[in-house]
Amino acid sequence: GENVEQHPSTLSVQEGDSAVIKCTYSDSASNYFPWYKQELGKGPQLIIDIRSNVGEKKDQRIAVTLNKTAKHFSLHITETQPEDSAVYFCAAILSGSARQLTFGSGTQLTVLP
Amino acid sequence: NAGVTQTPKFQVLKTGQSMTLQCAQDMNHNSMYWYRQDPGMGLRLIYYSASEGTTDKGEVPNGYNVSRLNKREFSLRLESAAPSQTSVYFCASSEYDRENGYTFGSGTRLTVV
């Protein structure tokens, strides 16, 4: 089955700096890669996603890049703010009829004021 | 617009007790999922239901059963709770026939003593 590895597990940045979280996946047939943000005590919330026919996608301060050849994708957050502090999960869809997401192990991002 | 609603939010069980976690979605999604979240291990799929009337095992199904009661509701049952089932449980739903992110509930924090 699909295996998604995510790093780093923790990341601290100064407010205003950029943060980068990286993930690799094993199933070359995976074709959808969402990123989720989980705030304390809440469920994960979709923040951005990318499909396999696209190399990069941006949404304001957040961007995701995908390298299908290398089977890795990354989340980039620019001009970080304290409210960006949360756990971030990458995920990949295992090809199949039920479209089950496989998640990375998460990155705790702390933005220091 | 409630999205995915989980009940209860918190529960403490004694070893050997049984309970059912409830999940309901109001987005007319076909697919529903149960995940458990443990520190450092991300989200692991317990069971899923690709559509009403079907259920399938995920990565960690042992000790659990599920029921897709109708299109809206998907319940998770622990027949004989064990301390290893102490975790945060998340229900999610998604469209079946197109790539899309999942919508998660706010979680149930379960402690088995």
Side-chain angles (χ1 to χ4, degrees):
Chain A
E2 176 66 279
N3 183 45
V4 178
E5 295 189 359
Q6 180 174 349
H7 57 93
S9 57
T10 61
L11 178 61
S12 293
V13 299
Q14 292 291 331
E15 184 177 356
D17 287 351
S18 295
V20 180
I21 302 170
K22 299 182 179 181
C23 289
T24 61
Y25 62 98
S26 61
D27 187 349
S28 58
S30 290
N31 54 10
Y32 175 67
F33 308 92
W35 285 87
Y36 288 82
K37 176 183 181 181
Q38 185 179 25
E39 297 175 333
L40 196 62
K42 298 183 179 180
Q45 183 176 12
L46 178 70
I47 55 171
I48 195 167
D49 56 17
I50 191 167
R51 288 162 175 76
S52 57
N53 59 345
V54 175
E56 183 177 2
K57 182 177 178 180
K58 278 188 172 182
D59 183 2
Q60 299 182 358
R61 296 186 297 108
I62 294 173
V64 57
T65 58
L66 172 65
N67 183 327
K68 282 206 70 181
T69 302
K71 291 191 286 187
H72 67 71
F73 56 112
S74 300
L75 178 71
H76 305 253
I77 305 174
T78 59
E79 301 173 19
T80 54
Q81 301 168 3
E83 52 264 38
D84 293 329
S85 295
V87 178
Y88 291 81
F89 291 97
C90 62
I93 279 192
L94 172 68
S95 297
S97 60
R99 298 193 180 279
Q100 309 145 48
L101 280 175
T102 299
F103 286 85
S105 55
T107 297
Q108 173 69 62
L109 173 65
T110 303
V111 179
L112 305 169
Chain B
N1 204 10
V4 178
T5 302
Q6 290 183 237
T7 57
K9 293 189 183 302
F10 302 94
Q11 184 71 50
V12 178
L13 289 179
K14 294 182 178 179
T15 297
Q17 285 186 319
S18 63
M19 79 161 295
T20 300
L21 282 64
Q22 306 286 353
C23 174
Q25 53 93 7
D26 61 3
M27 297 169 287
N28 203 36
H29 284 166
N30 289 299
S31 301
M32 298 185 73
Y33 313 83
W34 277 105
Y35 282 87
R36 61 177 288 173
Q37 183 176 32
D38 302 295
M41 302 189 72
L43 292 146
R44 293 182 293 168
L45 183 64
I46 305 171
Y47 271 93
Y48 65 96
S49 172
S51 60
E52 186 179 356
T54 69
T55 61
D56 285 286
K57 296 178 180 180
E59 180 185 355
V60 288
N62 291 344
Y64 305 95
N65 284 300
V66 291
S67 296
R68 183 75 181 266
L69 305 171
N70 47 56
K71 191 171 185 179
R72 291 186 64 248
E73 298 172 288
F74 188 39
S75 63
L76 178 72
R77 183 160 178 84
L78 288 70
E79 291 291 350
S80 179
S84 60
Q85 294 178 305
T86 293
S87 188
V88 181
Y89 292 85
F90 288 100
C91 177
S93 68
S94 73
E95 288 292 337
Y96 169 79
D97 57 353
R98 55 191 171 96
E99 294 164 356
N100 209 338
Y102 291 5
T103 300
F104 283 85
S106 57
T108 295
R109 184 173 294 275
L110 175 66
T111 301
V112 183
V113 298

